[in-house]
Amino acid sequence: MHELGNAPIGRLLLKYSLPAVVGTVISSVYNIIDSIVIGHAIDDPNVVSGIAVTFPVMNIVTALGMLIGAGAATRVSIVLGQKDMKVAETILGNCVQLTLIIGLLYAMTFAIFMDPVLRMFGASDNSLPYAREFMLWVLPGCVLMNLTFSYNNVMRASGYPAKAMYTNIIGALINICLAPLFLFGFKWGIRGAAWATDISMLITAVWVMSHFFNKNNTLHFVRGTFRLKWPIIRGVLYIGMAPFLINICGSAINAIVNNSLLHYGGDNAIAAVVVFNRFVTIFIFVIIGICQGMQPIVGYNYGTGHFNRLIKTFTLAAICGVIVSTCGSLTGSLNSETIASMFMQDETQIQCAVRCLKITTISFWMVGFQIVTTNLFQALGMAAKSIFLSLTRQIIFMIPLLFFLPGIWGLDGVWAAYPIADFLSTMVAIGMLTVLIRKIKSKTKAMPAESDYQIRHDI
């Protein structure tokens, strides 16, 4: 782990980000291929909107994985920077039970209230059967999904970025192979897509957990660390709360968006947002991969008090993030019809999706900076600030815009809420980052003899 505090920043960020980017991009490509396969294998336009209303539910699964995984990864990075292996092992052991308990509770609760929840997220009479069938079969894999997601983050944070990449590659490749086979070959319909997901999650969960049962690895399971300890759990949940709320708010936004779309544009409009979500996911996952590579470097150097390396790492990550989101913005606006045609066959749906892409990607180029900045605060353990930044786009700006703009512009008002919220939340991120950098620089310069610990806690 000493390379995190000594190796050149550019080379280090590349080493940790590249595997994460490759892994997350492959996962996003799987999601895209899965949507394309479903859209073309089942000859009913309602299947696309049916899958769309399951996205908020799957976001909740991801949110629970991030609640534990992102929090554990950040805490592990910081304590390893402080050379405290015992605490790192305790974090690792505690999070197993926490992940299983939360995952099982979530799966059982949703199974009981499935139809009302799907209705809340915008399912119509036409799309509900498809949404229900998919969720019924994919629920067993949700617990495995949380386990995989949580511990893959910890694997990367403990010094195994390449192996963490293989987790995503293995899961995605299995799913990419099985989904077309089950849908086109065996004609299993929606349940075939769900089974493909479940099988891939089972295999990747075994892969990830076997890593931490191997005593030859830097961080592994140790007897006596599995008993839940509130100080450990509190620290993990506190930091993981920011990405958790991002995804929970994303689910809430999806519910509001889907219901607005159902009112102003019907099932075709809900299907159009599937194209937007799947398309931008590629670029967002690249940015998240960059952030995942940044996180252990920033966390370690924060733990050791090397603040100049921290700032350099963030700056490079932010530049890369903006470049990626700018590519997404340009691609979405210039190739909207080609992109839409990949996901759907119905011409009316395609034209609706084209309009969606042209409007929603106007300010998408700013998203890279906003995501990297939010992850910086998370990596530093500043959960409250990270949570606030997460909420600016989703809650403070997006929800009021969704209630106000459609009343003026109709369906276009729903689409316009996205770029306006992106712009406003980025402005807030710039302001908070400026304050943080000034504090770091002033504390480093004004108190050179003071302990690193005191400087960190004054910030």
Side-chain angles (χ1 to χ4, degrees):
M1 295 294 291
H2 68 280
E3 67 174 2
L4 294 174
N6 299 309
I9 295 297
R11 189 173 68 194
L12 201 57
L13 186 61
L14 180 65
K15 177 181 177 180
Y16 276 78
S17 291
L18 185 59
V21 167
V22 171
T24 54
V25 167
I26 289 176
S27 293
S28 69
V29 169
Y30 144 66
N31 287 327
I32 291 170
I33 292 176
D34 205 33
S35 296
I36 292 173
V37 169
I38 291 172
H40 288 273
I42 302 174
D43 190 19
D44 185 348
N46 294 308
V47 70
V48 181
S49 54
I51 292 298
V53 299
T54 68
F55 291 165
V57 182
M58 299 308 293
N59 277 345
I60 295 174
V61 177
T62 303
L64 292 170
M66 285 187 169
L67 175 65
I68 303 169
T74 300
R75 288 293 302 143
V76 164
S77 294
I78 292 174
V79 298
L80 286 178
Q82 297 168 342
K83 315 298 183 186
D84 197 337
M85 182 60 73
K86 184 176 180 180
V87 172
E89 291 169 347
T90 305
I91 293 171
L92 188 72
N94 271 227
C95 287
V96 173
Q97 291 194 58
L98 196 59
T99 301
L100 292 175
I101 290 170
I102 292 176
L104 288 171
L105 286 174
Y106 165 80
M108 289 188 296
T109 301
F110 186 78
I112 295 171
F113 301 103
M114 185 177 296
D115 278 16
V117 171
L118 291 173
R119 289 282 190 185
M120 181 180 69
F121 286 133
S124 67
D125 291 338
N126 295 325
S127 62
L128 181 61
Y130 291 113
R132 183 197 299 119
E133 184 177 7
F134 180 78
M135 290 308 307
L136 179 67
W137 292 107
V138 85
L139 270 177
C142 288
V143 178
L144 296 172
M145 188 183 298
N146 279 342
L147 202 62
T148 299
F149 192 92
S150 297
Y151 279 86
N152 203 45
N153 280 329
V154 178
M155 184 189 295
R156 184 181 299 104
S158 60
Y160 296 88
K163 197 168 185 178
M165 173 187 70
Y166 297 145
T167 304
N168 291 328
I169 292 176
I170 291 170
L173 290 179
I174 292 172
N175 219 320
I176 288 171
C177 293
L178 292 182
L181 176 64
F182 291 172
L183 271 79
F184 286 112
F186 297 160
K187 306 293 183 182
W188 285 345
I190 288 292
R191 64 176 177 172
W195 287 350
T197 299
D198 290 341
I199 293 171
S200 67
M201 284 300 104
L202 173 62
I203 294 173
T204 52
V206 171
W207 163 267
V208 171
M209 298 310 292
S210 66
H211 169 86
F212 291 104
F213 278 104
N214 188 341
K215 295 183 179 181
N216 294 322
N217 292 323
T218 303
L219 184 63
H220 55 267
F221 292 123
V222 176
R223 186 177 303 220
T225 61
F226 295 94
R227 186 168 60 88
L228 294 178
K229 296 183 178 180
W230 174 241
I232 295 293
I233 295 172
R234 182 179 57 193
V236 168
L237 297 182
Y238 180 71
I239 296 174
M241 191 61 65
F244 170 75
L245 286 178
I246 291 175
N247 282 272
I248 290 296
C249 290
S251 294
I253 293 296
N254 280 335
I256 296 171
V257 168
N258 286 346
N259 281 283
S260 295
L261 293 175
L262 194 61
H263 178 72
Y264 289 101
D267 285 323
N268 285 341
I270 293 180
V273 86
V274 174
V275 178
F276 167 73
N277 285 332
R278 288 309 195 202
F279 169 71
V280 298
T281 293
I282 300 176
F283 302 94
I284 290 176
F285 273 28
V286 173
I287 298 167
I288 289 174
I290 294 170
C291 292
Q292 289 175 347
M294 175 189 75
Q295 183 268 322
I297 306 170
V298 166
Y300 185 92
N301 284 283
Y302 184 60
T304 58
H306 294 157
F307 300 116
N308 287 332
R309 288 177 60 80
L310 184 158
I311 294 173
K312 289 179 181 178
T313 303
F314 165 77
T315 301
L316 183 57
I319 291 172
C320 294
V322 171
I323 291 173
V324 171
S325 58
T326 300
C327 291
S329 185
L330 292 174
T331 305
S333 61
L334 298 176
N335 300 281
S336 54
E337 188 156 359
T338 301
I339 295 167
S341 299
M342 292 171 58
F343 291 87
M344 46 188 57
Q345 306 175 63
D346 185 80
E347 186 60 31
T348 304
Q349 284 187 343
I350 290 174
Q351 292 309 312
C352 188
V354 167
R355 182 68 175 170
C356 167
L357 283 170
K358 286 185 178 296
I359 297 175
T360 53
T361 55
I362 291 173
S363 297
F364 186 72
W365 63 273
M366 298 181 174
V367 169
F369 178 84
Q370 203 269 348
I371 293 176
V372 175
T373 303
T374 301
N375 277 268
L376 172 66
F377 284 99
Q378 176 193 323
L380 298 181
M382 300 179 182
K385 294 178 181 178
S386 182
I387 290 170
F388 174 75
L389 267 180
S390 305
L391 295 180
T392 54
R393 181 186 184 275
Q394 305 280 30
I395 299 296
I396 298 175
F397 298 129
M398 192 75 173
I399 290 181
L401 289 169
L402 284 170
F403 281 109
F404 175 70
L405 294 181
I408 302 174
W409 295 326
L411 183 57
D412 281 353
V414 181
W415 306 139
Y418 286 88
I420 295 174
D422 289 338
F423 171 78
L424 294 175
S425 60
T426 301
M427 295 302 103
V428 174
I430 290 173
M432 291 183 64
L433 176 67
T434 301
V435 174
L436 174 65
I437 297 299
R438 284 177 180 171
K439 284 185 177 181
I440 290 176
K441 288 183 176 179
S442 65
K443 290 294 181 182
T444 305
K445 186 180 298 184
M447 296 182 290
E450 191 170 4
S451 71
D452 293 334
Y453 177 86
Q454 182 61 45
I455 293 175
R456 287 195 299 273
H457 284 265
D458 282 346
I459 294 173

